[in-house]
Amino acid sequence: MKRLDYYNVGSEGMDIMMQMEKYTKKSSINRKLRELIKIRVSQINGCAYCLNMHTSDARKMGETEKRIYCLSAWNECDFYSSEEKVAFELSEHITLIPTKRVPNDLYQRVREHYNEKQYVDLVLIINQINSWNRISIAMGNTATEE
């Protein structure tokens, strides 16, 4: 149960979060990949609320259980594309930025699959889910049976 009605208490800030959410949904980044990124980042951050939401959303989009379950070990799987793998790697590096950073070689590998605009959109998608994870955890949101 959330600690307070933060959508009303901080309505201007939450409106900005929702505007960014609308922007990321319009990006050219594949919608299943967007959900997988959200799942992977939420795994790293330990946000059960977001994991529950985004695994459910991914299933509704037709994502397979195998690809959802194996996401934490994506680099050991051959059923993710090289395009997806580099996006997951970027997600991990941005989420763990104090220790991983985003080195030039990673940037170059990402750019082999994504143009400038898509790179910016990936960074924004990754930052958006990191923000949602932190908001959700700080506000006491929990995963619930629906």
Side-chain angles (χ1 to χ4, degrees):
M1 181 168 151
K2 64 183 175 183
R3 294 177 174 147
L4 53 95
D5 186 4
Y6 57 94
Y7 274 89
N8 283 325
V9 174
S11 61
E12 288 181 53
M14 295 310 297
D15 286 346
I16 292 167
M17 287 294 294
M18 294 311 292
Q19 287 299 316
M20 180 59 81
E21 198 63 27
K22 288 178 186 174
Y23 173 85
T24 62
K25 285 181 179 174
K26 292 179 186 174
S27 79
S28 66
I29 305 302
N30 176 282
R31 64 185 220 157
K32 283 185 185 179
L33 177 57
R34 287 194 315 260
E35 287 306 310
L36 291 174
I37 288 168
K38 291 174 184 182
I39 294 166
R40 182 63 194 121
V41 169
S42 297
Q43 288 173 333
I44 294 167
N45 289 326
C47 184
Y49 181 84
C50 293
L51 279 166
N52 188 44
M53 176 190 311
H54 295 296
T55 54
S56 176
D57 290 348
R59 284 182 189 96
K60 289 175 189 169
M61 292 177 187
E63 191 53 79
T64 66
E65 295 297 314
K66 177 170 72 171
R67 284 170 46 90
I68 292 170
Y69 293 151
C70 291
L71 200 48
S72 63
W74 59 266
N75 56 336
E76 298 174 21
C77 303
D78 64 3
F79 44 81
Y80 299 109
S81 70
S82 56
E83 180 178 307
E84 290 170 324
K85 285 183 173 187
V86 78
F88 300 149
E89 185 177 0
L90 180 65
S91 298
E92 291 179 359
H93 277 255
I94 291 173
T95 300
L96 301 169
I97 208 157
T99 56
K100 291 202 172 240
R101 317 295 292 168
V102 180
N104 285 332
D105 70 307
L106 175 55
Y107 170 76
Q108 292 303 326
R109 285 186 286 114
V110 174
R111 288 301 312 283
E112 289 172 15
H113 297 280
Y114 300 96
N115 64 33
E116 286 182 346
K117 174 77 165 67
Q118 291 171 320
Y119 179 81
V120 170
D121 286 348
L122 279 171
V123 170
L124 292 174
I125 290 164
I126 295 162
N127 277 283
Q128 182 72 356
I129 189 58
N130 269 289
S131 292
W132 281 124
N133 288 167
R134 284 154 175 76
I135 290 168
S136 206
I137 291 167
M139 296 303 173
N141 293 346
T142 57
T144 58
E145 195 76 35
E146 293 176 272

